[in-house]
Each structure stands twice: as structure tokens, then as C-alpha cells.
Amino acid sequence: MLNEFFERWLPVLEAEMRAVLAGGEAATAAHYGMMHYHMGWVDATFQPVTLPAGKRLRPLLCLMACEAVGGETKQAAPAAAALEILHNFSLVHDDIEDGDEMRRHRPTVWKLWGAPQAINAGDAMFALAFAAMQRLPERGVAPETTLAALRIFTETCVALTEGQHLDMSFEQRDCVTVDEYLRMIRGKTAALIGASVAIGGLIGGATPEADESLRHFGQSIGLAFQIQDDILGIWGDPAVTGKAAGNDILRRKKSLPMLHALNDARHGAQLDALLQKPGFGAPDLPEALRLLAATGSQEYANRLMNEFYTAGLDALRFALGERARQSLLWATAEWLMQREM
Ligand code: GRG
């Protein structure tokens, strides 16, 4: 069921995104080439390639939500493209801000072309994401609906910056609570996933109440998705995730399992001392993993992830009623919880 939807709509989405990010003038070919590289369409010499790009999760959720409420799926294609372009812009900037050298098994844009050009290519993607949204009326979406979708889109951009601000500020702090962490991932991850579902529902003609529940569904599975990302960041298979083994531990990332372990009365201080040790590095990983196991941090994170996942499915039932269980949105939530990358 999911595969059929992907095969039907991925080419439509890719065509929409390629049209928005096309460029054209020879003088600025490299500017667009960097964007195309990040999207997975070309290699570092700007030659076409077929690569496993991102999961295209947000745009597919947008299209599915439109369909689930009885709308015409293709009308949502410009918004779906906008959401994926915005997501990719945020990754380009995030990689610069975090100093990450690899993304999706390839060198990051800043690593290849330098931070100033990467910032600039990201800025263009940010602006072009709004240009994509402005194509909605051409597909017959009413101006009021387009404006309402743009309002959600804009609010979400601000929420992303809030989440990113908190995430970066946590790096400078010794102690972060679970509540503070949840506030951070609400902005950084859940807001955009919630907006993707809400915008699709809005374009599809959902009632305001149903659309609010759809947004809640998206936000809740977004929270579950980020917690799962944290779990994979520590215990995932590097060959599958594309991240180096123990990457999140070595960077002392304040992810949920780590926060839980650091706040543990019996082992927290020991883990903190290990992380602060001068020269902390790969040989210390087994001991860090032992302490994480002793605090039950993986089980704790799994439990919280499942709570958000269940809350998301409840919200979907509220939005779609009996049809929820048979919907592609439900199947996608289930699929997400089984992912390994
Ligand atoms: C919107 C103005 C404005 C600024 C953005 C940089 C920034 C501020 C926010 C960063 C947000 C960020 C990078 C969140 C991470 C979210 C996340 C879980 C990313 C991974 O998503 P996947 O797994 O990625 O869907 P793929 O590779 O599949 O696309």
C-alpha cells in the first residue's frame, strides 16, 4: 500500500522540486549545483546521479493527509515540495552549525564548497521553499487556503529556529532536564512534521477540528521519530545510519538517553566524569555504553517514544474516525517506528 503511494507520488514530488530549484543561468550554475547535490540529484562535479536521497517523509505525509480527508492529492504537490525543500535547507544550515562533515553517506555541502557558499545555497533554498508554496493557487487552491497554509509554514520556520536555538544552547550547559529536551524537539523536529500533515489536510478540505488533530498526530509521531533518532544515534548500526559508531556519545550530544543517564542518581556522576575527562574519545565508548546500560536509558527512551507514538495514533483516530487504521498515515507511522536509519 505504501509502496504504491510512493511509486505514484515520488516522481510528481521530485518534478515539482526540480522545477522550483531549477536555476538556469550558466553564471550561477554552481549555486544551483550545490542545492542539487544536497537533494541527491547530482554528484560533487554536478553530474547527474541516482542516489538514495532523504526519506521524503514530510512531503509524503502532506500528500497522504490531503488524500486521507478526501482532497485532490495533486493539489498539495507544491506544498509537499516546499516542505521538503525547507527541511533540506535546514539540514544544510544544521550541518554548518554542528560542523558535521557527512550527511546521507556523502560529504556535506559546506565540507565541499566552504561554509559561506553553503550558507548562501541554503538561503536560496529557504526563499525557494516559499516560492514553492506560492504555486498553490496555480493548482486551484483557493487564495484563503494558500494564505492559511503559508501561515502554518511561516510559524513552523520560527519554531525550527527556536528548537535549534535550544539545541545549540544545551551544548554549553551541564544539566538539561527531560522537559527542556522535549521543548527543544517540539521545535526542531515535531513542528515541521506536524505542519506537513496539517498543511496537507488543510488543502484537502479538512474541518479545522480534524486538521488540528492531524497536526497533533504529526507532532506526536515527530516527537517519537526524534527520540528514535536519538536511540539510533547511540545504538544504531553505523553501516545503516551513515553516522560513525558512537558519534552522539563522542560529541557529548545531550540526546534523551544521555540526559536520562546523566540525571541518574547512582551512575550519572560517573558518566559525567567520563564525558568530561581530558582526551575523552573512542576507547572510552565501551565504558560509556556500560553506564548507559546500567541506567536503563535505552528502555526509558523506548518507553517515551512509544507513548508519543500511541498518542499520535489516538489523534489520527480522532481526525479520521474508523478510516484511521486503514489510512496511509497510520501505515507510515508504523513504518517509521520500524526504521533503522
Ligand atoms: C527555518 C529559518 C529556519 C531556520 C532553520 C537549522 C535550523 C533552523 C534548524 C535545524 C533543524 C533540524 C536539522 C532538525 C533535525 C530534524 C531531523 C530529525 C532530521 C532528520 O530527518 P530525516 O531522517 O532526514 O527525515 P532525511 O535524510 O530522511 O531527509
Side-chain angles (χ1 to χ4, degrees), residues 20-21 78 81-83 85-86 124-134 153:
V20 173
L21 299 177
L83 290 155
I85 294 170
L86 178 71
M125 292 173 83
F126 180 53
L128 290 168
F130 281 83
M133 288 295 283
Q134 285 158 21
F153 197 75

Side-chain angles (χ1 to χ4, degrees), residues 70 72 86 98 141-142 155 179 199 233 263 271 292 304:
E72 236 190 278
L86 178 71
D98 288 356
V141 177
E155 278 166 18
D179 277 353
I199 290 174
N263 287 319
L271 179 61
L292 280 158
L304 208 58

Side-chain angles (χ1 to χ4, degrees), residues 273-325:
L274 180 70
L275 297 177
Q276 302 310 324
K277 186 182 101 168
F280 170 75
D284 301 304
L285 275 178
E287 176 61 3
L289 287 168
R290 190 189 68 76
L291 289 168
L292 280 158
T295 59
S297 294
Q298 189 172 6
E299 293 76 10
Y300 169 80
N302 266 317
R303 209 164 45 242
L304 208 58
M305 177 183 84
N306 280 320
E307 277 174 27
F308 285 120
Y309 173 59
T310 309
L313 295 183
D314 286 347
L316 191 61
R317 256 192 230 102
F318 194 81
L320 302 181
E322 285 306 299
R323 290 168 298 132
R325 229 176 203 294

Side-chain angles (χ1 to χ4, degrees), residues 54-55 58 87 89-90 94 104 157 161 164 188 225-226:
K55 291 181 280 300
R58 295 149 190 84
H87 164 61
F89 142 69
S90 80
D94 187 58
R104 299 172 183 149
C157 291
T161 64
Q164 185 73 342
K188 195 179 109 167
F225 178 70
Q226 181 59 60

Side-chain angles (χ1 to χ4, degrees), residues 53-58 84 86-95 97-98 103-104 126 156-158 160-165 167 187-189 193 222 225-226 229 339 341:
K55 291 181 280 300
R56 309 297 195 224
L57 168 67
R58 295 149 190 84
E84 184 64 13
L86 178 71
H87 164 61
N88 278 279
F89 142 69
S90 80
L91 296 180
V92 171
H93 276 205
D94 187 58
D95 289 338
E97 289 162 3
D98 288 356
R103 156 103 32 211
R104 299 172 183 149
F126 180 53
T156 304
C157 291
V158 179
L160 274 167
T161 64
E162 291 172 355
Q164 185 73 342
H165 164 79
D167 197 12
K188 195 179 109 167
T189 305
I193 297 181
F225 178 70
Q226 181 59 60
D229 219 55
R339 80 191 171 112
M341 62 175 283

